[in-house]
Amino acid sequence: MGKPANLYAFESADELAKNLRAYVLDAQNESLQRHDIFRVAVSGGSLPKTLAKALLPAGNGSEKDTAKFDKWEIFYADERAVPLDHEDSNHRLVKEEWLDQIPKEMPQPTVFPIDVKYLNDTQELADQYEQTLVKQFASRDSVKLPMFDLLLLGCGPDGHTCSLFPGHELLRETTGWVLPIEDSPKPPAKRITLSLPVATHGIKIGFVATGAGKKDIMRKIFDSEEGHALPCGLVNDMAQDKVSWFTDTPAIEGVQFPSRRGLL
Ligand SMILES: O=C(O)[C@H](O)[C@@H](O)[C@H](O)[C@H](O)COP(=O)(O)O
């Protein structure tokens, strides 16, 4: 057995944002050294707003503390099968809450939204997004699984992450990279999602889960047997200490699993 996931808890949204910034920019700097590019997968929910709070401030001007967005390639960990300007679109959310606020004079990231030509065929929508990954991560023949430099994920109150829901057959997928789902228990029903093997293959995986509304599911994920079968628990078990959870005090109330305060 390797080392377990890291669980960090912060007293305030400001503290969380400061630490998340350090974590993301460290991942960025390591990736740029490794291959001069930073490939990130992001989810929807409250995450884009938190990323804006963490990454939009100019920082202290040092090389280490600078977001080099022109080197970023941003993909979606999951996306709803809706137009890009639809209220349910994760791309719209990420753009409006975060990316559109990067000052125009700053270098901009490259973003890979879904191809809306295929909205009526969820399988094709997933296949096309997989092809986007194939192109960006070299050919499928030479790469068994795409390795994101960082995945930034949320955790639903039922323990879902990406659009991988508890007990869903998609959790058994072993080879596909991007999967269609047409019966998401949380609307909208039609979506695409990274598979569990891709979600757990990243170099680093960061979850953000805040607020008292998360405490029951956090206890289940970290302190119960059944938590290991939940999608978030599976990511923890499969990716172990590559996983770091950024939470606040209300979200981990009553959690026994050892958590640490502060990261810097
Ligand atoms: O598509 C979805 O179902 C949501 O985007 C979802 O996956 C979200 O990331 C989590 O429910 C966490 O939500 P919060 O970030 O709001 O806690």
Side-chain angles (χ1 to χ4, degrees):
M1 274 246 332
K3 290 195 192 141
N6 306 292
L7 177 58
Y8 300 106
F10 302 99
E11 294 293 342
S12 67
D14 283 352
E15 277 298 298
L16 189 152
K18 200 167 82 180
N19 283 273
L20 184 64
R21 177 189 181 92
Y23 171 80
V24 172
L25 293 184
D26 273 357
Q28 168 202 267
N29 296 337
E30 284 164 19
S31 301
L32 295 186
Q33 281 206 340
R34 214 169 33 245
H35 49 202
D36 200 36
I37 191 98
F38 185 42
R39 295 196 187 100
V40 188
V42 298
S43 301
S46 60
L47 183 79
K49 200 172 253 166
T50 307
L51 289 176
K53 188 171 170 61
L55 294 168
L56 290 179
N60 66 18
S62 71
E63 180 72 5
K64 190 171 166 332
D65 192 42
T66 302
K68 296 179 184 133
F69 286 125
D70 54 332
K71 300 284 187 181
W72 286 47
E73 290 185 350
I74 299 177
F75 302 85
Y76 291 101
D78 67 329
E79 180 58 290
R80 290 90 176 270
V82 294
L84 298 180
D85 58 357
H86 191 278
E87 60 171 24
D88 287 332
S89 163
N90 281 344
H91 177 65
R92 181 198 59 77
L93 193 70
V94 166
K95 255 175 74 59
E96 283 182 11
E97 298 203 328
W98 172 30
L99 302 179
D100 286 352
Q101 294 173 53
I102 300 173
K104 291 289 162 276
E105 63 278 11
M106 268 180 78
Q108 302 291 313
T110 307
V111 187
F112 294 90
I114 53 168
D115 188 338
V116 293
K117 273 206 297 290
Y118 306 103
L119 285 183
N120 292 330
D121 181 343
T122 322
Q123 178 71 57
E124 193 58 29
L125 189 67
D127 289 348
Q128 291 294 331
Y129 205 68
E130 184 165 301
Q131 283 311 309
T132 302
L133 298 189
V134 170
K135 274 192 217 115
Q136 296 311 121
F137 286 81
S139 87
R140 177 106 196 221
D141 293 337
S142 56
V143 179
K144 224 172 106 208
L145 281 175
M147 186 183 268
F148 285 98
D149 297 308
L150 176 65
L151 293 109
L152 291 164
L153 305 177
C155 161
D158 56 353
H160 84 263
T161 191
C162 305
S163 284
L164 299 167
F165 289 88
H168 198 279
E169 61 181 357
L170 289 190
L171 294 173
R172 293 199 293 272
E173 176 67 36
T174 54
T175 53
W177 294 7
V178 182
L179 312 174
I181 170 166
E182 302 210 323
D183 58 355
S184 162
K186 181 177 170 187
K190 293 187 179 180
R191 301 157 168 237
I192 64 165
T193 181
L194 294 181
S195 64
L196 195 56
V198 173
T200 54
H201 193 58
I203 292 184
K204 287 185 175 174
I205 300 155
F207 280 96
V208 178
T210 56
K214 290 279 150 67
K215 73 179 180 199
D216 291 341
I217 194 62
M218 290 296 285
R219 282 189 215 169
K220 214 179 249 181
I221 293 168
F222 282 94
D223 293 343
S224 81
E225 260 321 299
E226 61 182 309
H228 294 278
L230 293 173
C232 289
L234 289 166
V235 174
N236 279 350
D237 285 350
M238 291 164 77
Q240 303 189 340
D241 66 341
K242 296 193 301 175
V243 182
S244 296
W245 285 75
F246 291 79
T247 71
D248 59 4
T249 318
I252 59 144
E253 193 194 322
V255 172
Q256 302 296 312
F257 185 90
S259 64
R260 276 176 273 164
R261 312 261 154 152
L263 183 63
L264 295 174

